[in-house]
């Protein structure tokens, strides 16, 4: 009974929050008055204006004319007090209104679009004025955020289907051309010919109904019959708006020659994820050609926009770089639950309440009865993302028509990780991975560890940490070393070997602190080296870090060393050469367990952890359990991204999805398996011998 009572109480909280979310979704949005529109707004009442009550963009209030009219509260009062016109005519008032509207058009894209831009009605019938939907407003919010801060607009948009993202981008560019700046030229590259035809049709419709006088300055003479959209050349792919001294060019990725840049300020690259790579026609080459010569300055704009199309392609790489902050572009994802059509009302309040109770009770449930449903934990994740109960209800019904999560995710992605999903089966539950975020944080120190030399015995002499913001070694906790007492089996260092080139896999050295396992608690990631380096130097770097962390157990993944890997430029089997070198200097190097026969026969010990068809399923199984039960503390959020893109391939093998890495993941898989199944529980003993390679003063409390 108590359990049912708690569930009902929690469901009531969910229902209350759902009401709030519905209120936000259905809040007033009137682009003409400005109420609920994009950006920060100021309420203004002008008693004799055609729109008596308006919510104006805050930046618009900087215009003296606007500020004066709003202060006066009426146009008549403004003309009398500010312009000294005692008996204003209708024409006088009309001129002020027209000027006010023009000013507002320059500051208020949603207003301009809703007043002057006609587009095709998807439901059939006459063309309709362009009124922004909720996801379109979200997009415009981002674009305006860059523009109003006097920044070049650089955006990568990952989108769900059917909400008019492409149309919004194109009309926003048209606004910049027709209203804000004279002489801006735009280039739009569609996926294929049909797409380019539809784009040109949209512009033709818009310009056919666009008021001629709005293309001229106030008071400038014009002819109602003058041409406003003039073809250039015979292809029909280029049109000019002579009044604004601008042109619009539309090309396709299928014909790269049509995509050559020139004097273009605004570039929209549509459905980039679908662009095919062929001989002499890579997406990146088309993009480079289209954007060549563009200066990075305000009122320039480049937008890559696409639905996802698998992994490992140009669009995914660029989106990931933008998301990680490694690009001049900003990343934006629009999920299916941001789109109002993807919602299903409940038949009654009781049905909604029962749904809320079920959502709460199954929030930790990872089991499903069939391949046409999602587990309770996944539905709860949708709730935590911000989806309404009605949206989740729609998702449940829609999911019943799909025979796999990947099919559903490709059409209706819930996050940007899902959007790039492929046919593989994810190994780790995303909801459980997200729990590890609680421990993630920026490092306390950044730099590197050094010895007297980079390799050989001197590499482990005077080992010390040097702070450097450009360094590759991140430290969350420095080594805790007591000169009188040592905690045996405390620190563990694992190494995943990458390659020396920037295109190769990353090399990773991670340090675990097992101190809290003495009291039954969790191991913690306390430091990590992450970068590219020659293999032999990496091994010595790992030995230095292990020595720095109180002579930690050093586990080097030897698969790369023992395999002839051309990508990593490994000359023969270097494993024993490199590892034996280190073993002779560093005495706490991990070695594989030997059989009784090997021991009897005097077989040499094999150092390093070898990942193969036998050991890999074992360590991945351990990692699944560790993540499921939150048995360790992670610090680097990048590792969580690798968990989310790790899958079981169709052939049964494990690996990262195409275009992603698993280097951080493998150090955890190896390290945590050894941590839980091969190492003894940490214990405190009196310190007798000095730490290998570490000068005491280098790691004392004083020096740290």
């Amino acid at each position: 009974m108590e359990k049912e009572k708690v569930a009902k109480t929690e469901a009531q909280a969910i229902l209350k929050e759902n009401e709030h979310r519905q209120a936000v979704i259905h809040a007033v949005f009137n682009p003409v008055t400005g109420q609920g529109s994009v950006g920060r707004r100021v309420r203004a009442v002008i008693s004799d204006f055609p729109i008596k009550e308006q919510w104006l963009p805050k930046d618009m209030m900087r215009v003296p004319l606007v500020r004066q009219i709003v202060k006066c509260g009426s146009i008549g009062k403004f003309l009398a007090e500010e312009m000294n016109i005692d008996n204003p005519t209708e024409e006088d008032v009309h001129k002020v209104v027209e000027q006010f509207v023009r000013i507002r058009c320059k500051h208020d894209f949603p207003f301009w679009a809703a007043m002057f831009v006609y587009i095709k009605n998807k439901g059939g019938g006459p063309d309709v004025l362009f009124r922004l939907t909720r996801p379109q407003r979200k997009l415009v919010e981002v674009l305006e955020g860059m523009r109003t801060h006097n920044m070049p607009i650089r955006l990568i948009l990952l989108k769900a289907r059917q909400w008019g993202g492409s149309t919004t981008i194109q009309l926003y560019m048209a606004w910049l051309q027709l209203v804000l700046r004279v002489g801006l030229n735009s280039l739009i590259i569609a996926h294929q010919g049909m797409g380019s035809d539809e784009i040109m049709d949209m512009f033709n419709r818009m310009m056919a109904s666009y008021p001629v006088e709005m293309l001229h300055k106030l008071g400038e003479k014009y002819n109602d019959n003058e041409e406003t959209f003039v073809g250039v050349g015979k292809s029909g792919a280029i049109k000019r708006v002579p009044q604004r001294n601008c042109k619009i060019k539309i090309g396709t990725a299928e014909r790269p020659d049509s995509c050559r840049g020139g004097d273009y300020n605004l570039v929209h690259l549509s459905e980039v994820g679908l662009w095919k790579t062929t001989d002499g026609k890579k997406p990146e080459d088309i993009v480079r050609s289209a954007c060549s010569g563009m200066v990075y300055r305000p009122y320039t704009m480049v937008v890559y926009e696409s639905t996802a199309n698998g992994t490992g392609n140009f669009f995914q790489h660029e989106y990931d770089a933008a998301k990680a902050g490694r690009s001049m572009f900003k990343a934006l994802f629009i999920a299916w639950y941001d789109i109002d059509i993807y919602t299903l009302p409940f038949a009654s309040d009781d049905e909604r309440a029962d749904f809320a109770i079920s959502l709460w009770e199954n929030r930790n449930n990872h089991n499903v009865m069939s391949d046409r449903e999602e587990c309770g934990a996944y539905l709860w994740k949708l709730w935590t993302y911000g989806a309404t109960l009605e949206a989740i209800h729609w998702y449940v019904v829609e999911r019943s028509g799909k025979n796999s999560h990947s099919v559903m995710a490709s059409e209706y992605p819930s996050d940007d990780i899902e959007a790039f999903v492929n046919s593989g089966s994810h190994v780790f539950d995303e909801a459980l991975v997200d729990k590890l975020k609680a421990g993630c944080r920026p490092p306390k120190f950044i730099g590197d560890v050094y010895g007297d030399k980079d390799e050989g015995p001197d590499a482990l002499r005077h080992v010390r940490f040097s702070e450097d913001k450009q360094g590759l070694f991140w430290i969350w906790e420095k080594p805790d070393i007591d000169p009188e007492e040592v905690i045996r089996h405390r620190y563990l260092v694992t190494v995943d070997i990458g390659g020396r080139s920037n295109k190769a896999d990353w090399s990773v050295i991670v340090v675990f602190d097992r101190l809290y396992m003495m009291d039954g608690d969790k191991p913690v990631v306390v430091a990590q080296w992450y970068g590219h380096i020659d293999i032999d130097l990496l091994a010595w770097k790992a030995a230095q870090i292990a020595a720095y962390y109180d002579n930690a157990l050093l586990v080097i993944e030897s698969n790369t060393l023992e395999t002839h890997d051309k990508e990593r430029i490994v000359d023969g089997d270097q494993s024993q050469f490199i590892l034996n070198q280190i073993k002779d200097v560093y005495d706490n190097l991990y070695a594989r367990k030997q059989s009784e026969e090997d021991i009897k026969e005097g077989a040499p010990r094999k150092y390093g952890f070898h990942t193969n068809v036998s050991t890999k399923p074992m360590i991945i199984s351990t990692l699944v359990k560790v993540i499921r039960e939150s048995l360790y503390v992670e610090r680097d959020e990048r590792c969580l991204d690798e968990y989310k893109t790790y899958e079981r391939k169709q052939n049964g093998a494990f690996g990262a999805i195409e275009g992603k890495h698993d280097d951080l993941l493998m150090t955890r898989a190896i390290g945590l398996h050894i941590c839980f199944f091969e190492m003894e529980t940490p214990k405190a003993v009196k310190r007798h011998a000095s730490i290998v390679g570490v000068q005491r003063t280098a790691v004392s409390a004083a020096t740290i």
Side-chain angles (χ1 to χ4, degrees):
M1 285 297 289
E2 184 63 30
K3 204 172 176 182
E4 289 180 10
K5 189 177 177 181
V6 170
K8 285 183 178 180
T9 303
E10 294 293 341
Q12 285 299 318
I14 290 171
L15 290 168
K16 187 175 179 180
E17 170 61 22
N18 195 62
E19 286 180 11
H20 171 70
R21 294 180 185 182
Q22 289 285 9
V24 171
I25 290 170
H26 298 293
V28 175
F29 167 65
N30 188 331
V32 176
T33 65
Q35 188 176 6
S37 196
V38 174
R40 293 186 296 173
R41 300 270 163 166
V42 175
R43 181 177 174 270
V45 177
I46 307 170
S47 60
D48 52 357
F49 198 87
I51 311 169
K52 182 180 177 180
E53 187 177 34
Q54 300 179 67
W55 284 260
L56 304 173
K58 194 171 182 180
D59 285 350
M60 187 176 165
M61 299 301 295
R62 297 176 182 174
V63 180
L65 175 69
V66 175
R67 196 165 56 247
Q68 290 169 350
I69 293 172
V70 172
K71 185 180 178 182
C72 291
S74 79
I75 295 173
K77 189 176 179 182
F78 163 77
L79 289 171
E81 295 184 359
E82 301 294 335
M83 305 299 293
N84 297 317
I85 302 174
D86 293 328
N87 297 302
T89 64
E90 280 190 25
E91 187 179 354
D92 292 331
V93 173
H94 177 76
K95 284 181 179 178
V96 175
V97 170
E98 188 175 357
Q99 182 70 347
F100 192 97
V101 167
R102 285 173 176 263
I103 293 169
R104 187 169 168 193
C105 283
K106 284 190 172 185
H107 290 84
D108 198 339
F109 169 75
F111 172 78
W112 171 81
M115 291 290 292
F116 300 109
V117 177
Y118 281 88
I119 62 169
K120 184 180 178 181
N121 188 351
K122 282 190 174 183
D127 290 350
V128 295
L129 285 162
F130 185 58
R131 185 185 177 103
L132 293 174
T133 62
R134 187 160 59 98
Q136 289 169 343
R137 297 198 294 274
K138 188 175 180 179
L139 168 59
V140 171
E141 199 86 57
V142 175
L143 296 173
E144 281 289 85
M146 287 183 271
R147 185 191 69 82
T148 56
H149 284 84
N150 214 31
M151 295 169 58
I153 297 172
R154 299 292 186 271
L155 180 69
I156 299 182
L157 173 63
L158 173 62
K159 58 180 188 144
R161 293 173 173 83
Q162 301 298 315
W163 61 273
S166 299
T167 300
T168 306
I169 293 165
Q170 290 151 16
L171 293 179
Y172 185 87
M173 292 190 341
W175 176 60
L176 298 178
Q177 292 175 288
L178 302 182
V179 181
L180 268 69
R181 291 285 190 275
V182 173
L184 293 180
N185 296 322
S186 64
L187 171 64
I188 301 165
I189 302 176
H191 167 45
Q192 53 192 7
M194 188 177 294
S196 66
D197 292 341
E198 289 177 356
I199 294 168
M200 186 56 78
D201 177 67
M202 183 196 71
F203 279 108
N204 283 327
R205 287 171 185 269
M206 181 188 73
M207 294 307 300
S209 57
Y210 195 77
V212 177
E213 63 267 29
M214 291 294 292
L215 298 173
H216 294 268
K217 293 180 180 178
L218 186 64
E220 190 175 280
K221 291 184 179 180
Y222 66 90
N223 186 332
D224 282 327
N225 296 317
E226 65 189 36
E227 289 190 276
T228 59
F229 207 42
V230 183
V232 178
K234 297 179 180 179
S235 68
I238 305 175
K239 295 285 186 75
R240 288 184 65 247
V241 183
Q243 297 84 351
R244 301 293 296 177
N245 190 29
C246 68
K247 63 183 177 184
I248 298 167
K249 180 180 179 180
I250 301 173
T252 72
E254 293 177 332
R255 292 183 282 113
D257 289 343
S258 68
C259 307
R260 295 186 187 274
D263 185 21
Y264 290 98
N265 315 92
L266 316 168
V267 178
H268 173 207
L269 310 163
S270 185
E271 292 294 357
V272 180
L274 304 180
W275 294 5
K276 294 179 181 178
T277 298
T278 60
D279 291 340
K281 192 183 72 174
K282 295 179 181 177
E284 50 264 51
D285 296 334
I286 298 173
V287 170
R288 193 181 302 111
S289 177
C291 300
S292 62
M294 185 181 293
V295 181
Y296 188 72
R297 65 185 180 194
Y299 289 91
T300 63
M301 177 172 168
V302 180
V303 177
Y304 305 166
E305 156 268 305
S306 187
T307 49
N309 183 36
T311 60
N313 53 44
F314 169 77
F315 181 68
Q316 190 219 0
H317 289 316
E318 290 302 307
Y319 180 86
D320 286 350
K323 182 183 177 182
R326 300 191 304 268
S327 164
M328 68 174 65
F329 286 77
K330 182 179 179 68
L332 175 65
F333 170 69
I334 300 294
W336 63 266
Y337 50 79
D338 291 319
I339 305 167
D340 292 340
I341 62 172
Y342 301 134
T343 185
L344 181 63
F346 294 95
S348 66
D349 291 343
D350 288 343
E351 185 184 11
R352 184 187 296 106
D354 289 343
F355 191 88
I357 291 172
S358 176
L359 190 68
W360 168 257
E361 289 181 334
N362 291 284
R363 69 194 185 280
N364 295 317
N365 185 359
H366 297 273
N367 300 316
V368 292
M369 299 297 291
S370 77
D371 60 0
R372 294 181 177 270
E373 62 182 287
E374 300 295 348
C375 65
Y378 184 84
L379 298 181
W380 181 254
K381 183 183 74 170
L382 296 180
W383 174 254
T384 63
Y385 280 180
T388 63
L389 294 177
E390 287 74 13
I392 300 171
H393 186 205
W394 172 89
Y395 190 92
V396 170
V397 174
E398 184 69 22
R399 176 68 174 85
S400 67
K402 309 286 190 299
N403 62 6
S404 75
H405 175 76
S406 61
V407 172
M408 188 72 180
S410 64
E411 293 185 27
Y412 308 104
S414 300
D415 56 35
D416 52 5
I417 300 292
E418 269 194 5
F420 293 108
V421 73
N422 64 5
S423 59
S425 173
H426 288 277
V427 174
F428 306 104
D429 186 285
E430 192 174 331
L432 299 174
V433 171
D434 284 338
K435 286 185 177 181
L436 297 174
K437 276 186 183 178
C440 295
R441 60 199 61 175
K444 293 181 181 178
F445 309 95
I446 299 175
D448 218 329
V449 169
Y450 301 95
D452 286 352
K453 289 189 177 180
D454 292 334
E455 55 188 323
D458 289 341
L460 298 184
R461 290 197 177 98
H462 303 101
V463 175
R464 60 213 177 262
F465 173 76
S466 177
E467 202 160 355
D468 178 3
K469 294 301 180 184
Q470 302 300 312
L472 302 176
F473 190 45
W474 290 9
I475 293 179
W476 288 273
E477 296 293 339
K478 285 185 175 181
D480 177 22
I481 300 176
D482 187 326
E484 303 297 325
E485 187 180 72
V486 60
I487 308 294
R488 285 186 179 169
H489 316 297
R490 175 175 181 176
Y491 292 110
L492 167 68
V493 176
T494 58
V495 184
D496 184 68
I497 299 174
R500 67 176 78 179
S501 74
N502 290 331
K503 292 183 178 179
D505 289 334
W506 296 92
S507 289
V508 183
I509 306 168
V510 68
V511 184
F512 294 94
D513 187 354
R514 303 174 72 245
L515 175 68
Y516 302 107
M517 295 180 74
M518 294 172 68
D519 301 317
D521 212 333
K522 306 173 184 180
V524 182
V525 171
V526 292
Q528 179 173 276
W529 190 98
Y530 185 73
H532 293 293
I533 191 174
D534 287 349
I535 289 174
D536 53 341
L537 294 179
L538 174 71
W540 284 107
K541 177 64 66 180
Q544 290 173 330
I545 290 171
Y548 181 65
Y549 275 88
D550 208 7
N551 200 32
L553 176 64
L554 175 58
V555 185
I556 298 178
E557 199 272 335
S558 65
N559 188 54
T560 301
L561 293 171
E562 298 177 38
T563 313
H564 299 255
D565 190 337
K566 293 180 181 179
E567 289 290 321
R568 295 183 170 100
I569 320 177
V570 177
D571 301 320
D573 184 352
Q574 298 188 359
S575 60
Q576 292 311 304
F577 175 71
I578 294 173
L579 294 176
N580 283 335
Q581 271 195 319
I582 294 171
K583 178 260 303 182
D584 291 338
V585 179
Y586 189 80
D587 63 1
N588 200 13
L589 186 64
Y590 177 88
R592 296 166 222 172
K593 291 181 179 179
Q594 290 181 295
S595 66
E596 290 184 11
E597 288 185 8
D598 286 344
I599 296 172
K600 286 178 182 177
E601 294 176 5
R605 298 194 74 186
K606 287 191 175 182
Y607 292 94
F609 185 94
H610 193 269
T611 307
N612 51 46
V613 292
S614 175
T615 61
K616 192 168 186 178
M618 176 183 70
I619 62 173
I620 295 301
S621 177
T622 297
L623 189 57
V624 168
K625 177 180 171 64
V626 168
I627 291 174
R628 184 177 67 239
E629 300 178 18
S630 294
L631 296 179
Y632 90 109
V633 178
E634 181 57 66
R635 295 299 189 209
D636 189 355
E637 197 164 330
R638 293 173 300 180
C639 185
L640 307 190
D641 292 335
E642 290 193 2
Y643 290 154
K644 292 178 181 180
T645 54
Y646 198 72
E647 65 178 7
R648 184 189 294 273
K649 308 291 183 181
Q650 291 183 337
N651 64 359
F654 294 105
I657 63 177
E658 187 180 352
K660 294 290 189 177
H661 294 276
D662 61 5
D663 319 289
L664 297 166
L665 180 153
M666 289 305 298
T667 58
R668 276 62 172 180
I670 295 168
L672 290 167
H673 183 81
I674 292 170
C675 192
F676 284 106
F677 294 105
E678 296 193 29
M679 293 182 74
E680 296 179 26
T681 303
K683 60 180 179 181
V685 298
K686 195 164 182 174
R687 191 183 293 275
H688 297 294
S690 62
I691 303 168
V692 173
V694 181
Q695 189 179 35
R696 294 257 48 91
T697 56
V699 291
S700 68
T703 58
I704 293 174

